[in-house]
Amino acid sequence: MPSTELSLDAPQLLRQLRELGAIGQRPGDEGRTRIALSDDDRAGRDQLVRWMHDLELDVRIDQIGNVLGILHPDRGGLPQRPLMIGSHIDTVRNAGALDGCYGVLAGLAVARAYRQAGVSPTRGIVVAAFTNEEGVRFQPDMMGSLVYAGGMCVQAAHDTVDGDGERLGDELARIGYAGDMVPGSLVPHEYLELHIEQGPLLEARDRQIGIVETLQGISWQQVTIHGVANHAGTTPTRLRHDAGYAAAACIAFLREQVVGAEPETTLATTGTLRLEPNVINVIPSKATFTVDLRDPDERRLRMAESRFADFLVRLAEREGVRIKVDSLARFEPVVFDAGLAARIETAASRRGLSHMRMTSGAGHDAQMIARIAPSAMIFVPSRGGISHNPREHTDDQQLVHGAQVLLDVVQACMAST
Ligand code: GLV
Ligand code: MN
Ligand code: MN
């Protein structure tokens, strides 16, 4: 329901996106890198907190480092049944400026609209930036929102270690974001997340707004293959236990499984691969790599996992290698709240914006918060469907449209309860 009272300060939203996007960007870099709990993540958080204070939000940090900016209603005190708007500001390596940041800064734009109009919301509004959504350094991904939703205890999250053996809890304290608020102590009455699509569908269908109804399941595994190092020039092929070859066979198997399947919905990615000793004339003794499997259907995702597990058994036997698999993250597909989706659709229609209902291919904090509150997501187009890449781009006008729809939906939620 568009309001005559509240208006979006679009230039300020776009300015803040550019400013936050400059943090973690080195001279000559095309992208920026603010890996969770790094010094650059701290710099981004510090900037966000300054902006929250500028809006006189009540800033709370919880025990997993989630940053919450609360716009209190008239009644004062900790808000009951608040509306939460959230996403994340950590990034992958060499990232675009919009992934996550857009949703958090659009949340600030909603709070700013209330402040500039001099009115208070009828219920509290919480703008949340969740810790470690990307899961690059510490797994699982979406960790801050998972802990917030009660899906992982604080201690287990703190005890997570990165590839160098650094403990997450220590890193959180080091960057000054080990707060004392108990995660989840403010239970949202509803949760909204605005995000760039990060895929090609809206652009291909020439739609301005995506109403996200579902989010696909995600399975992350780390596979370690132990072979035998030996001389590249003297070891006959049939006598090798080549961990590098076995890793390559896994990657090829995963691709062959998903291409041409009916329906072709399962996605498989190996995004990290390390060989040891990593020397040109030594047969690799060890390969460590990750497998990211996704499918909107839980049954198909399980089938993909189990086909891969069977393949590993056969491969170990055939190549005489030892294979260990660790699960890093496993999230089932999620169905978002139908009532909120309808509100997004109404808001987009009233603004004259073309729209479509869709599934999210990327993981999002909304996927976790949906466990404790009705949740929904709004997407705007990504040029060329590119994301997790410095070339990630959405036109300013499309970013403003998405934030306007968010503001309208917030007002509709406030008016109805
Ligand atoms: C998060 O960006 C993910 O989908 O991996
Ligand atoms: Mn994101
Ligand atoms: Mn991302």
Side-chain angles (χ1 to χ4, degrees):
M1 182 193 304
S3 160
T4 48
E5 282 183 279
L6 298 188
S7 62
L8 187 78
D9 186 342
Q12 178 68 348
L13 169 61
L14 298 172
R15 222 172 4 249
Q16 289 192 338
L17 277 167
R18 279 192 292 275
E19 273 187 52
L20 187 52
I23 298 177
Q25 194 162 29
R26 308 272 177 264
D29 280 0
E30 206 190 334
R32 69 283 303 142
T33 302
R34 295 193 309 273
I35 305 285
L37 310 176
S38 63
D39 290 345
D40 292 304
D41 183 27
R42 169 181 24 205
R45 287 163 173 265
D46 289 351
Q47 179 61 77
L48 176 66
V49 168
R50 276 195 293 277
W51 285 332
M52 286 179 164
H53 283 141
D54 291 346
L55 290 168
E56 295 178 2
L57 302 186
D58 175 5
V59 179
R60 311 280 176 113
I61 314 293
D62 73 13
Q63 293 163 340
I64 188 63
N66 295 322
V67 178
L68 308 176
I70 306 169
L71 177 65
H72 287 284
D74 286 335
R75 291 184 291 277
L78 260 192
Q80 302 295 309
R81 305 185 309 124
L83 181 150
M84 183 179 275
I85 302 167
S87 201
H88 61 98
I89 64 163
D90 68 312
T91 70
V92 293
R93 209 161 276 126
N94 201 21
L98 299 173
D99 180 357
C101 302
Y102 173 47
V104 175
L105 296 180
L108 290 193
V110 168
R112 188 173 306 109
Y114 279 93
R115 287 295 188 224
Q116 288 180 347
V119 294
S120 298
T122 48
R123 291 184 282 118
I125 295 178
V126 181
V127 180
F130 292 107
T131 294
N132 187 30
E133 192 270 352
E134 295 289 6
V136 172
R137 180 178 174 198
F138 297 98
Q139 292 83 37
D141 53 344
M142 296 167 284
M143 187 187 276
S145 48
L146 177 66
V147 171
Y148 198 88
M152 182 179 197
C153 71
V154 172
Q155 193 60 49
H158 282 184
D159 288 340
T160 312
V161 289
D162 70 6
D164 298 323
E166 300 284 359
R167 194 176 155 272
L168 183 143
D170 298 338
E171 287 293 274
L172 201 52
R174 185 185 68 78
I175 67 163
Y177 280 86
D180 54 11
M181 183 183 181
V182 175
S185 49
L186 270 176
V187 180
H189 183 261
E190 65 274 88
Y191 175 84
L192 298 170
E193 185 164 349
L194 173 64
H195 209 285
I196 53 166
E197 181 200 338
Q198 308 182 273
L201 302 179
L202 287 172
E203 189 179 66
R205 301 268 305 271
D206 201 18
R207 303 297 160 93
Q208 292 159 299
I209 296 291
I211 300 145
V212 186
E213 295 187 293
T214 51
L215 196 155
Q216 66 182 344
I218 302 176
S219 162
W220 280 7
Q221 302 174 64
Q222 178 163 284
V223 182
T224 311
I225 302 183
H226 296 272
V228 178
N230 210 337
H231 197 292
T234 61
T235 317
T237 303
R238 69 191 156 72
L239 295 182
R240 294 179 180 216
H241 306 285
D242 183 340
Y245 167 73
C250 290
I251 297 170
F253 173 83
L254 288 165
R255 168 62 76 94
E256 282 153 17
Q257 286 297 300
V258 300
V259 171
E262 194 46 61
E264 205 175 73
T265 51
T266 308
L267 299 172
T269 305
T270 288
T272 75
L273 169 63
R274 214 172 47 240
L275 299 182
E276 293 176 34
N278 206 27
V279 169
I280 188 167
N281 54 357
V282 181
I283 296 164
S285 58
K286 186 173 170 189
T288 312
F289 60 97
T290 49
V291 176
D292 175 321
L293 287 171
R294 305 195 191 202
D295 197 295
D297 182 272
E298 174 63 19
R299 196 183 50 85
R300 283 197 301 265
L301 185 56
R302 280 204 203 135
M303 275 165 45
E305 289 172 319
S306 104
R307 275 197 303 267
F308 183 53
D310 292 346
F311 174 74
L312 291 180
V313 172
R314 294 196 302 274
L315 181 71
E317 175 146 352
R318 193 181 78 207
E319 297 301 322
V321 293
R322 193 160 52 79
I323 303 181
K324 176 166 167 283
V325 178
D326 294 300
S327 174
L328 300 179
R330 181 63 166 86
F331 301 118
E332 292 191 3
V334 167
V335 178
F336 288 126
D337 185 72
L340 288 173
R343 282 207 170 128
I344 296 167
E345 192 160 56
T346 303
S349 297
R350 286 189 177 163
R351 291 271 167 196
L353 299 170
S354 56
H355 51 79
M356 64 185 256
R357 290 177 175 253
M358 59 192 300
T359 295
S360 170
H364 295 290
D365 294 303
Q367 188 176 3
M368 303 299 118
I369 302 300
R371 298 175 179 203
I372 55 167
S375 300
M377 293 194 72
I378 306 165
F379 275 178
V380 293
S382 291
R383 187 176 64 195
I386 290 178
S387 187
H388 284 185
N389 181 318
R391 286 189 299 144
E392 171 186 280
H393 174 86
T394 300
D395 289 341
D396 286 353
Q397 191 56 51
Q398 292 172 322
L399 293 170
V400 172
H401 284 151
Q404 188 62 64
V405 168
L406 174 69
L407 179 59
D408 291 347
V409 174
V410 169
Q411 290 175 88
C413 290
M414 289 292 159
S416 75
T417 45

